[in-house]
Amino acid sequence: QVQLVQSGGGLVQAGGSLTLSCTASGRSSSNYAMAWFRQYPGKGPDFVATTTWDGKITFYADSVRGRFAVSRDNAKNSVSLQMNSLKPEDTAVYFCALDLHSRGINSPATLMEQYDIWGLGTQVTVSS
């Protein structure tokens, strides 16, 4: 059974940068779309960014486009989220996710319902 292990996150000042990483274990993630979501207290997860199985197509939420970059290394079964120019409103718990039904699909998946496997989440806090 595939599991997603997250690393990175923490506390940073506004304008700073952080990198989140997510590694799949138990099964290769190289054939599947992977994404990042974030969750604010008391709310459901919001889409942040996604990449298709081959990394050739990426898609971002309007709120992070131009500041965040998602990338993957299929040789390492990993996906990363580089977050630049961070704002206090980026403060949230960030989750990586994998879509087991996306094998060979070359279109971005942005709905949380499309993702089957989730990491445990990591806190990102941006101070003003």
Side-chain angles (χ1 to χ4, degrees):
Q1 182 175 348
V2 63
Q3 293 182 321
L4 299 178
V5 178
Q6 297 183 220
S7 61
L11 174 64
V12 66
Q13 289 188 330
S17 298
L18 282 174
T19 302
L20 305 182
S21 297
C22 174
T23 301
S25 63
R27 182 175 183 174
S28 173
S29 61
S30 62
N31 294 316
Y32 308 104
M34 297 188 76
W36 291 93
F37 289 78
R38 64 187 179 187
Q39 187 170 20
Y40 299 105
K43 297 189 176 182
D46 292 330
F47 168 76
V48 174
T50 186
T51 171
T52 50
W53 65 276
D54 56 0
K56 291 184 178 180
I57 298 174
T58 58
F59 189 78
Y60 299 90
D62 290 344
S63 58
V64 306
R65 187 174 292 117
R67 299 188 298 122
F68 290 12
V70 60
S71 61
R72 66 189 299 159
D73 184 341
N74 283 341
K76 297 181 179 179
N77 287 321
S78 66
V79 63
S80 296
L81 184 69
Q82 176 65 43
M83 305 183 293
N84 300 321
S85 302
L86 283 161
K87 305 176 181 180
E89 51 264 43
D90 294 318
T91 297
V93 177
Y94 285 71
F95 296 88
C96 65
L98 184 149
D99 178 2
L100 290 174
H101 299 89
S102 60
R103 188 181 184 101
I105 294 176
N106 293 315
S107 60
T110 65
L111 302 177
M112 62 172 292
E113 294 81 8
Q114 294 176 278
Y115 290 87
D116 310 277
I117 309 296
W118 292 75
L120 295 180
T122 188
Q123 177 70 44
V124 171
T125 302
V126 184
S127 63
S128 57

